[in-house]
Amino acid sequence: MKKFFDSVDQEVLLKIISLRIKDSVTFDLLKEIIGSYTTIPGEKVGLPIGNLTSQIFANIYMNELDRFIKHQLKVKIYVRYGDDFVIMETDCKKLEYLRTEVISFLNNVLKLQVNPKSNQILKPRHGLKILGMKFWQSERNLSERNLLRINERLNSKNLPSYGGIIKKHGNKKQIKKFGWLIYEKLLASIA
């Protein structure tokens, strides 16, 4: 999605929540939490990034897309994580149709825009970029952007975590480069 958290329509979110939450005290509390933030002054738009409730609200909001894709469009292979999603289909014409329907649903029902850079139909041989990785049928690699982030944030406290990510998702070259990066950080901390 294009600027997902900044674009969530609070009225749409509250309507979705009202279908599930019947207790007025609970609903009013959720309404107050949602309405306490806006990205556009005077409008009921947006959720604060990093707020724990925002993650829950995002999943509630995007569940509507899940239901539309699975139950109305009857898509067999669909994966979503947060506001990133992938639909896989062997028939290119059907994929074009699905893309049109999903974009229409997002625009008209959820009031969201698809990021033009991510709105692509790809053949398996080109690989799939999602969640900071690039996937092919036989392998996966971390994106350069994620590698740069790891390089910038790496310290002794998060070394095991980042080491696990590189070991699990990196290719041989990335693993070797990470080893040297650790060595450089250790030398810098001693000096």
Side-chain angles (χ1 to χ4, degrees):
M1 296 303 122
K2 185 176 178 184
K3 298 191 179 227
F4 174 73
F5 283 99
D6 290 345
S7 304
V8 170
D9 186 297
Q10 294 176 3
E11 293 294 329
V12 172
L13 177 59
L14 287 169
K15 183 179 176 189
I16 294 166
I17 290 172
S18 74
L19 299 173
R20 309 270 189 299
I21 304 292
K22 300 301 179 197
D23 178 63
S24 62
V25 175
T26 304
F27 182 78
D28 288 344
L29 177 61
L30 294 174
K31 187 175 180 180
E32 189 174 329
I33 292 168
I34 292 165
S36 69
Y37 178 85
T38 184
T39 52
I40 303 170
E43 293 188 33
K44 296 180 178 187
V45 177
L47 294 173
I49 296 173
N51 189 333
L52 292 176
T53 57
S54 296
Q55 302 300 317
I56 295 165
F57 293 144
N59 274 326
I60 291 168
Y61 202 76
M62 293 302 286
N63 182 59
E64 299 304 305
L65 176 66
D66 299 343
R67 293 169 55 80
F68 175 73
I69 289 174
K70 290 179 191 175
H71 300 294
Q72 287 187 261
L73 297 179
K74 308 270 192 230
V75 171
K76 302 250 188 283
I77 305 173
Y78 164 70
V79 178
R80 180 181 65 82
Y81 183 85
D83 65 326
D84 293 322
F85 66 93
V86 175
I87 295 173
M88 293 186 201
E89 173 62 53
T90 55
D91 181 350
C92 210
K93 285 184 182 183
K94 185 173 181 183
L95 204 50
E96 287 286 351
Y97 165 77
L98 293 171
R99 175 172 41 188
T100 303
E101 292 297 309
V102 168
I103 289 173
S104 175
F105 179 83
L106 288 167
N107 292 185
N108 300 320
V109 177
L110 295 181
K111 312 274 193 266
L112 295 172
Q113 302 295 314
V114 172
N115 187 334
K117 291 190 311 185
S118 302
N119 183 10
Q120 301 176 29
I121 294 178
L122 303 169
K123 295 189 183 283
R125 70 176 176 265
H126 296 133
L128 170 66
K129 261 187 181 176
I130 188 168
L131 305 175
M133 296 198 313
K134 188 152 185 183
F135 294 87
W136 289 272
Q137 289 178 320
S138 60
E139 67 177 293
R140 64 180 175 249
N141 293 331
L142 284 167
S143 70
E144 286 301 316
R145 181 177 172 210
N146 269 357
L147 290 171
L148 288 172
R149 262 194 204 150
I150 289 171
N151 186 13
E152 292 167 1
R153 297 176 181 174
L154 186 65
N155 60 48
S156 60
K157 292 179 183 175
N158 61 25
L159 178 65
S161 177
Y162 284 136
I165 290 171
I166 296 288
K167 194 181 224 181
K168 177 110 174 136
H169 303 293
N171 59 29
K172 287 179 183 178
K173 184 178 175 184
Q174 292 169 335
I175 293 168
K176 187 175 180 179
K177 188 176 180 180
F178 184 72
W180 283 108
L181 179 63
I182 294 169
Y183 182 69
E184 286 173 14
K185 296 275 182 181
L186 287 172
L187 285 178
S189 68
I190 295 170

